[in-house]
Amino acid sequence: MRRLITTLAILFVVIVAGMTALVLLVNPNDFRNYMVQQVEQRSGYQLRLEGDLRWHVWPQLSILAGRMSVTAPGAQQPMVMAENMRLDVHLFPLLSHQLSVKQVMLKNAVIRLTPESEAQQPADAPVGPTNSTPPEPVKGWTFDISHLEVADSLLIWRQPQGEEINFRDLNLSLTQDSRREARLSLATRVSRDQRELQLSLDGEMNVANYPQRVSGTVKSLSWQLQGPGLPATGLQGKGSLQAEWLNDSQRFSLQNVALTLGDSQLNGAISGKLGNAPAVTIDMRSPHLDLDALSGLNSPTSASPGMSVATAFSRAPVIAEPTRYDHPLNSLNAALKLQVDTLRWHGMDMQQVALDAQNHQGNIALNTLSGRVGEGTFSLPGTLNLHQQSVAVALRPALQNIALAPLLQAFALPPTLDGQLTLTGNMSGEGLSVVDFHRRWRGEAEVALDSARIIGMNFQQLVQRAVARNSDRVSSGDETGNSNETRLDKLQAQATLKDGLITLKNLQGGASGFRLGGAGEIDMLRRQCDIHFGVQVTSGWKGDNDLIATLQQTAVPLHIYGGWDNLQYNLKVDQLLRQKLESQIKSRLDEWSQRNQKNVTPEKAPQ
């Protein structure tokens, strides 16, 4: 044991002495020109090192450098700039005065993937003769490092004519073996519009044909999005996928995409190309998609007491200063196909939702947006225009047998009406939120409601009791009981929407025992309504047969008005009865007068 300890101590002393001698005998600045030349020969890029190079012995023999930059040929800006660079080197090649780097570490680096940092042909480059073979393009960077570490850095990415995106606090670890199969670990964050996205992933890459082709697998992808208009805990998700990048054609492909967004899941594929005319194709499927949870509508803090659903849903990031609006979809073409087995939106559960949309630089065609809600179906084809801050929307809704009460709740309308809704029409407006629908939408529709229920008022009962109170000649039966709702076999109307005001015309409905008609308005902004009905009760009367016959043929005026939370009504039964009584008396007097005139014998004239 003593001999082993002695041997190890001697070995340690020899290594320390050897490294000390090596540091004293070998000047790291002797490798400066060598490193610059190697980078230029292998890639054509220009490496610039500022300040002196120095040794760092513990815990790893390394060369430390100060500010450095790597610039592509003809580029306006460096592709990589860093405050500090560390090169971990192998010990034994240094004995023969050779440099063998096994790891490069950059700290506080700025990496630019922008048109200004790309390699460019020199302006004074010679031009070949016509029909000659064009010169080979500038050679791109060749990744030939065993281990790369990037810490606390910034990645700036921007496509031509695109918007700049900054990936901050970038931490990257990339290791490759002799077969050029790399293992990747990355963590970063993106801040935009007061929202922050934190992203981390672990995966593997095949860089044997880099930079022409890169393929790999993302084994673990996790992200979290926080900010205004989102749940207090943010949106969290995980995923995995297989990716491929073809540099010459600027094409990418994401296969076997599996994403989990809270309780929602998405699976499918994404492919496309970048460059001057970016294009993306998305084909996804979801067994369950909860838009309420993703938008924060289910969060306990998303709405305070008294706050409407529309207000809670319409919250958006606040921009400190007005800026020129440029939607990301305005600069690319895209095709989206989405199949969702079950979807939840504003408390409504939908099934078999299908979306087929085409985007042409901000002009979106909704070829298909359909699905099922309970026993009913819906279809909402139309168009979207993203070339202004408020999205311009035009839809051609077609609803069939949709339960009305959940739909009214989803659009923050009073749930005083229920039934199976059938609707066809045309709608247009600005914005996609419920508040936008209340304020800035217009359209016309034919509306029909089967098995309708007007909740909170029994029209037949109101009329019969009001008549009974104003006349002792008739009384109401017990056919309606004490129900506080009006039941109709069918209710239909022509509806017009203009800037928050719904106008109802040709309102007609009926059931066994009574019929009604009318017209009116619903003001969504002021949360008020003003509707005039004519209620004709044809059964349930007892008493004077003549008066009952008159009432069965008379539409009693019923006026419903006021705020949604405190509706009021007005029945002018006394005036109606007075008019009917006066009309009956006048009619009987006329009959009596005509009858008496026939019975009177004319007097003979005197001779």
Side-chain angles (χ1 to χ4, degrees), residues 419-430:
Q420 300 302 115
L421 175 66
T422 297
L423 180 149
T424 58
N426 291 282
M427 299 287 180
S428 62
E430 297 181 1

Side-chain angles (χ1 to χ4, degrees), residues 529-540:
C529 70
D530 186 0
I531 303 177
H532 291 270
F533 291 100
V535 183
Q536 185 176 352
V537 180
T538 59
S539 66

Side-chain angles (χ1 to χ4, degrees), residues 299-313:
S299 174
T301 60
S302 63
S304 59
M307 180 186 293
S308 67
V309 175
T311 303
F313 184 76

